[in-house]
Each structure stands twice: as C-alpha cells, then as structure tokens.
Amino acid sequence: ANYMPCVIMSNSDVTVQIEDLGASQHDASEGRKLMPVRLWQDRLFTDCTVTCGSSEFRCHRAVLAKASAVWRTALESSFRESHDAKLSIDDFDPGVVEAVLKYAYTCEIEFVDAAAVLGLAHRYSSTPQVWPEFLKIIGQDPS
C-alpha cells in the first residue's frame, strides 16, 4: 500500500508542501531492525541497571527479559532485583558483561574472552537456543 497522507487545513493563509521521500515498507522494516541497536547506543528510557564491580550498565528490562529467562524471572518476580531494578554480576570482568549485554541488544559481539562470554551466557540460560548466532560468530557453529 502506498502512503497517502490526508491534510485538512482550516486556515487559507497556510501553505503545506508534502514530498514523497521514497520511504518504502522495506525502509521501515530496516528501521525496526535497527531499533534495538539504537536502544543500546542511546540508552534512552532505561529502567534497570546491571552492575559489575564499579561498572554500571543502564538497560531495558524488556530487552534483558527477552534475552534471558533467568533475567526475566529475576526482574518480574518478588526478588530484590525486581524491586530495585538492578542485576549484579560481580564474578566476571566488566568487559565480558558489557559484551553479553551488547549482544542481547545488537546481536553483535566484540571479541573479548570468548570462554568467559560463553560462561556468562550459559549461566543466564542464554546459549545456543537463545543466541545461536553467537556461536557462529566465534567459530563454534552448532549446525
């Protein structure tokens, strides 16, 4: 379906120019795919924090809940994590925690300690079934 705007003017002194910028449904679809990446980059409207040592990562509960059933349970239940909107991961390097969080949003991994990333992902029930592309990225294609 083509985009057909409807403009109703009540003041004859106003001129409105509408241009077709060539946006298509394909463009809109690509924009939706980039939305989680923008959420990670901009950190607007975050509603929880993941801490690791002295590092804090502002996140969105909905993204974390989608990435991990363990995080979902912690954030939606009567656990302290839900009430405080804070998850604490203190036994991994902050760079590893950040890499796993970034992957939850963007499906992109920056190479840090792959074994540690897999360990953290496994702890939070976030391996092969939830993040199959991660294993492909680090050369451990499960298929």
Side-chain angles (χ1 to χ4, degrees):
N2 291 332
Y3 175 67
M4 300 182 136
C6 175
V7 178
I8 299 172
M9 302 298 298
S10 62
N11 185 338
S12 61
D13 296 335
V14 176
T15 303
V16 175
Q17 180 177 348
I18 299 174
E19 296 180 24
D20 180 4
L21 300 176
S24 67
Q25 287 182 340
H26 175 73
D27 295 335
S29 175
E30 289 302 311
R32 281 190 296 278
K33 288 179 185 175
L34 291 175
M35 213 175 292
V37 173
R38 289 189 192 125
L39 284 172
W40 175 253
Q41 293 170 341
D42 299 341
R43 307 289 172 96
L44 294 174
F45 308 109
T46 57
D47 58 358
C48 69
T49 303
V50 175
T51 64
C52 180
S54 62
S55 297
E56 289 191 350
F57 306 98
R58 300 288 302 152
C59 296
H60 302 86
R61 289 181 197 214
V63 173
L64 298 183
K66 184 71 174 166
S68 165
V70 174
W71 286 339
R72 179 185 181 129
T73 299
L75 291 169
E76 74 178 357
S77 66
S78 59
F79 293 131
R80 183 190 66 204
E81 291 86 353
S82 177
H83 182 266
D84 296 343
K86 184 180 273 191
L87 296 170
S88 181
I89 304 171
D90 289 322
D91 52 346
F92 283 88
D93 180 81
V96 171
V97 172
E98 184 174 23
V100 168
L101 293 172
K102 180 179 179 182
Y103 187 82
Y105 281 81
T106 67
C107 291
E108 296 173 0
I109 191 78
E110 292 179 9
F111 283 95
V112 290
D113 181 351
V117 170
L118 282 174
L120 180 59
H122 178 71
R123 174 181 296 167
Y124 292 102
S125 301
S126 300
T127 53
Q129 297 79 11
V130 179
W131 295 357
E133 291 301 311
F134 176 75
L135 293 176
K136 290 178 186 175
I137 291 168
I138 64 166
Q140 302 294 320
D141 189 348
S143 52

